[in-house]
């Protein structure tokens, strides 16, 4: 469906819709990138916290360590998806501000 802007220019309206679609795609890409970064950051933080433990548990072994790493990865991904730390939101805002500044220049 085509829209015509107030001056009746179909081409300008189409170009405006294309620009909005590109902006929305860039925003979605920035949000996905920021959420992935937050998940990596949280996973690294959890991993560092695990290495700072005070001792070994009774049932600790290589298998337990692998499952704990997988658990930490899933926990980090879930926390990033929910925006617990807000890192993704800050990164998205920063990237979108930079895109806006580039487009205005």
């Amino acid at each position: 469906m085509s829209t015509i802007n107030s001056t009746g220019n179909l081409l300008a309206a189409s170009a405006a819709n294309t620009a909005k679609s590109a902006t929305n795609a860039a925003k979605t890409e920035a949000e996905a990138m920021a959420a992935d970064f937050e998940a990596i950051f949280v996973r690294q933080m959890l991993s560092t916290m695990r290495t700072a433990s005070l001792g070994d548990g009774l049932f600790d072994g290589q298998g337990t360590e692998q499952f704990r790493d997988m658990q930490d990865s899933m926990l980090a991904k879930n926390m990033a998806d929910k925006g617990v730390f807000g890192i993704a939101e800050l990164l998205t805002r920063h990237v979108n501000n930079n895109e806006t500044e580039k487009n205005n220049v």
Side-chain angles (χ1 to χ4, degrees):
M1 183 169 118
S2 300
T3 58
I4 299 176
N5 63 3
S6 60
T7 60
N9 189 348
L10 180 61
L11 185 57
S14 177
N17 288 339
T18 302
K20 285 181 184 177
S21 296
T23 302
N24 289 339
K27 194 177 277 191
T28 303
E29 185 178 337
E31 289 171 356
M33 175 271 315
D36 289 344
F37 177 82
E38 184 171 355
I40 292 168
F41 180 81
V42 172
R43 184 177 35 190
Q44 286 297 110
M45 185 178 65
L46 289 171
S47 175
T48 302
M49 289 170 35
R50 294 265 187 217
T51 60
S53 68
L54 299 175
D56 292 333
L58 182 60
F59 300 106
D60 285 349
Q62 186 177 2
T64 304
E65 186 177 325
Q66 286 179 330
F67 282 111
R68 191 169 287 142
D69 288 343
M70 288 190 287
Q71 179 187 18
D72 288 349
S73 292
M74 290 304 299
L75 178 63
K77 180 70 174 145
N78 288 335
M79 290 173 82
D81 288 343
K82 291 180 182 179
V84 173
F85 291 100
I87 296 169
E89 182 183 344
L90 291 172
L91 282 172
T92 303
R93 198 176 323 149
H94 179 72
V95 168
N96 289 336
N97 287 341
N98 284 344
E99 283 294 318
T100 303
E101 287 176 8
K102 262 196 254 182
N103 293 336
N104 290 338
V105 172

